[in-house]
Amino acid sequence: MIKRIVKYSIPIAVVLIITTVFVFWLRSASPIVFRSVIVEAPNLKSEEPHEELQLQSADLYALSGKTFSGAVTRNFPAEKRKFVSFKFTDGRAPQPSSRPCERWAVTTTIFPPSEAVKRQTRLQDWCLVVAGDKKSHETYETGWEEGEEEGNAQVVYLTPKMQEAMQDQFVSALPWNHFGRKNAGFLYAMLHGASVIWDFDDDNLLKYWIQGAAPTNSLSLDGVIDAITNSETVDVLEPSDHGLQVYNPYPVLGAPTLPSWPRGVPLEVIKKPEYSNTTLKEIKVPSKSFGVLQSLADYQPDVDAIFRITQPVPLWFKRLEENRHLMLPTGVLTPYNAQATLHFKSSFFALFLPLTVHSRVSDIWRSYIAQRLFWDVGIKFGFMPRPIVVQDRNPHSNLGDLDAERDLYMKSHKLVEFLNEWTGKGSTLVERMEELYIALYERDYLVVEESAGQWLRVSQCCGLSSSDITSSCNASSSRGR
């Protein structure tokens, strides 16, 4: 009997020693795993142990991930603000041009001239600026020749050397090999007499680019502009009694399948019909109030990666029965892009594309920021009734876009909430722009960048003096939202 006890006690002792050593090692080396797996269930009457367990193991063992709160996470130093009671004293006169244009098209690319760009050069009396980059080709042959009676008055390929020669602080602050070079094209057009800017990507092709070819003015870029600028008021459609903060325009604009939504609409609303199924009412809008109009794109519309992975694409939007622009009421937000968007002079201050987020996010953030500022100066945003472009999409990876668009999925909903609650205190538009950028920085939507500050300085090229902005802001504040 004694021999048997000795025989089995030694292995048991060894196992106990090894187990004890392992437990102590696990406890010291991996406290999260130890406390999550080995510790007894927390006393529900005592919150402290439960909270400790939750804090230490939430990331690994939670049943769901974290959502973006939109709360303040950092503070911007007050002494670094530049535009408090800012007065423009260093006005910049537009540079002379041999053939000045009021209508400019702006794009940026690293590719050779596309069919979309070549079509753009055929628009009568337009000017085109293509902002090049370090990766771009040295030359850019579109087939346009100076002096032609038909087509653009000017086609400017803004090479890196030309951009450096502008000797502008804003242009110098833009990073190379970055989609943000498009901002240099905006500035160039503004400095050369633009009263309207067609902001487009080089894979968005105009359906009708030959003068007189469009079956209706609403399908012609010039027809859209002329119908607005040649009238004091314009008949439009507006969602009636839409009491929600965000609007999904795709269903009413003829999306052939549902659900359907544009890139940047908060995911929380895409399957809720109340965010799109509203009665449209007829209203008259002063032509001077038009700020931005976006054209949808047929074939390859501007949708997010989730849509492309889960929904049928390509698609073609069905024609609206009402051939009038769809305008958004004050207090309602919806995203617009930098792919096929018409900007009138009153909205030039809001052209800037942020540089500290991915390009799949930048134009959407721009649109939300712009619309909130539009409310303070009485500017309207809307959609053309029918797509005037077809997108022949440049190569993309849906999974790559899914990763790039993460901020859209996680932050758009909170951004819409914040913008509806935000109230600027500045007496001028440039002060409110700075306030809003700082507020977005403090809530982790953007990073404050030098180029953004420089853009505020060159925004005077919009033709809005500080006194004009002040009166507009005060008028908006007295109306309320």
Side-chain angles (χ1 to χ4, degrees):
M1 178 66 68
I2 296 176
K3 289 182 179 181
R4 288 183 180 182
I5 294 174
V6 173
K7 178 180 179 181
Y8 290 107
S9 63
I10 294 175
I12 292 172
V14 171
V15 170
L16 288 174
I17 292 171
I18 293 174
T19 302
T20 304
V21 171
F22 174 75
V23 168
F24 277 102
W25 171 83
L26 183 63
R27 185 165 188 165
S28 60
S30 186
I32 293 178
V33 174
F34 178 83
R35 287 169 183 152
S36 301
V37 178
I38 299 177
V39 75
E40 294 181 0
N43 183 353
L44 296 181
K45 296 181 180 180
S46 174
E47 295 183 358
E48 292 183 2
H50 180 57
E51 289 178 348
E52 180 183 4
L53 176 67
Q54 200 172 39
L55 287 172
Q56 295 181 353
S57 61
D59 290 345
L60 294 178
Y61 293 93
L63 297 178
S64 180
K66 296 179 180 179
T67 58
F68 179 75
S69 69
V72 174
T73 61
R74 53 195 175 190
N75 294 307
F76 186 83
E79 64 273 11
K80 290 188 177 182
R81 294 187 58 176
K82 300 178 180 179
F83 297 98
V84 177
S85 302
F86 178 74
K87 303 297 181 183
F88 290 122
T89 57
D90 54 347
R92 180 198 304 271
Q95 300 174 13
S97 173
S98 57
R99 296 183 66 184
C101 287
E102 291 188 359
R103 298 179 180 184
W104 279 83
V106 178
T107 192
T108 185
T109 185
I110 60 173
F111 300 113
S114 64
E115 177 62 23
V117 172
K118 292 177 180 178
R119 291 185 183 186
Q120 196 68 45
T121 66
R122 308 316 303 169
L123 293 185
Q124 189 71 30
D125 297 326
W126 276 71
C127 287
L128 167 66
V129 56
V130 180
D133 211 331
K134 295 288 188 180
K135 294 181 180 179
S136 302
H137 295 254
E138 293 185 5
T139 59
Y140 198 77
E141 302 297 334
T142 64
W144 174 88
E145 294 183 7
E146 189 171 2
E148 288 184 349
E149 293 184 2
E150 297 182 355
N152 282 189
Q154 288 188 76
V155 175
V156 179
Y157 180 45
L158 205 58
T159 65
K161 288 184 179 180
M162 292 176 64
Q163 294 178 49
E164 291 169 349
M166 292 174 72
Q167 296 183 340
D168 183 90
Q169 289 182 323
F170 169 69
V171 176
S172 299
L174 299 175
W176 291 108
N177 298 323
H178 197 285
F179 73 97
R181 299 313 301 185
K182 199 175 197 180
N183 289 312
F186 295 147
L187 178 59
Y188 188 91
M190 290 161 60
L191 292 175
H192 288 79
S195 62
V196 63
I197 290 177
W198 173 242
D199 177 11
F200 77 106
D201 276 356
D202 68 341
D203 56 1
N204 279 251
L205 295 76
L206 290 172
K207 292 182 177 179
Y208 300 97
W209 65 99
I210 299 175
Q211 193 170 18
T216 173
N217 284 340
S218 64
L219 288 174
S220 160
L221 191 53
D222 280 311
V224 170
I225 298 171
D226 291 341
I228 295 170
T229 57
N230 294 337
S231 305
E232 289 189 6
T233 61
V234 180
D235 293 332
V236 303
L237 299 174
E238 182 181 89
S240 176
D241 300 323
H242 186 75
L244 304 172
Q245 295 179 342
V246 67
Y247 183 71
N248 176 8
Y250 270 20
V252 75
L253 289 172
T257 60
L258 297 176
S260 188
W261 65 93
R263 175 171 55 95
V265 163
L267 294 181
E268 289 85 345
V269 311
I270 61 176
K271 295 181 70 175
K272 297 180 180 179
E274 62 268 27
Y275 285 87
S276 55
N277 294 346
T278 55
T279 303
L280 300 179
K281 64 180 180 180
E282 301 177 2
I283 64 170
K284 291 185 180 292
V285 173
S287 58
K288 64 180 181 180
S289 297
F290 275 77
V292 177
L293 282 175
Q294 183 192 312
S295 169
L296 302 189
D298 274 332
Y299 186 60
Q300 291 288 347
D302 184 24
V303 292
D304 60 34
I306 291 178
F307 187 98
R308 291 190 179 278
I309 293 170
T310 62
Q311 303 296 320
V313 178
L315 63 82
W316 299 77
F317 289 90
K318 300 175 182 178
R319 177 177 177 176
L320 269 180
E321 294 180 4
E322 295 285 356
N323 202 22
R324 286 175 279 188
H325 304 302
L326 174 67
M327 308 303 289
L328 272 292
T330 298
V332 179
L333 295 166
T334 195
Y336 63 82
N337 61 31
Q339 299 178 4
T341 308
L342 193 62
H343 300 254
F344 293 89
K345 192 170 185 177
S346 61
S347 69
F348 283 1
F349 69 88
L351 276 166
F352 176 70
L353 289 164
L355 306 175
T356 58
V357 291
H358 195 278
S359 61
R360 299 291 296 171
V361 177
S362 178
D363 57 345
I364 302 303
W365 268 199
R366 175 183 74 170
S367 73
Y368 280 133
I369 295 169
Q371 287 173 80
R372 176 57 193 86
L373 293 169
F374 288 170
W375 300 348
D376 286 353
V377 290
I379 295 175
K380 302 289 285 184
F381 156 71
F383 294 89
M384 301 179 196
R386 298 171 63 185
I388 67 171
V389 298
V390 175
Q391 183 175 185
D392 184 15
R393 201 167 188 241
N394 289 328
H396 278 255
S397 162
N398 287 339
L399 292 181
D401 286 348
L402 185 73
D403 179 62
E405 293 166 358
R406 178 178 171 81
D407 276 4
L408 299 184
Y409 308 139
M410 303 303 295
K411 298 182 179 182
S412 291
H413 184 66
K414 286 297 181 181
L415 177 59
V416 167
E417 288 183 353
F418 168 71
L419 292 174
N420 271 275
E421 296 169 356
W422 181 81
T423 301
K425 299 179 181 179
S427 60
T428 66
L429 181 55
V430 72
E431 289 174 11
R432 294 196 182 187
M433 289 170 68
E434 184 185 44
E435 287 177 19
L436 185 50
Y437 265 91
I438 290 174
L440 294 173
Y441 159 78
E442 291 180 335
R443 289 160 179 81
D444 198 28
Y445 294 101
L446 294 169
V447 174
V448 173
E449 51 196 307
E450 177 63 20
S451 53
Q454 294 298 336
W455 178 260
L456 296 180
R457 292 188 179 277
V458 303
S459 291
Q460 59 189 299
C461 297
C462 303
L464 293 173
S465 68
S466 56
S467 58
D468 291 332
I469 295 168
T470 302
S471 60
S472 298
C473 287
N474 289 340
S476 175
S477 299
S478 64
R479 288 195 304 269
R481 296 196 303 278

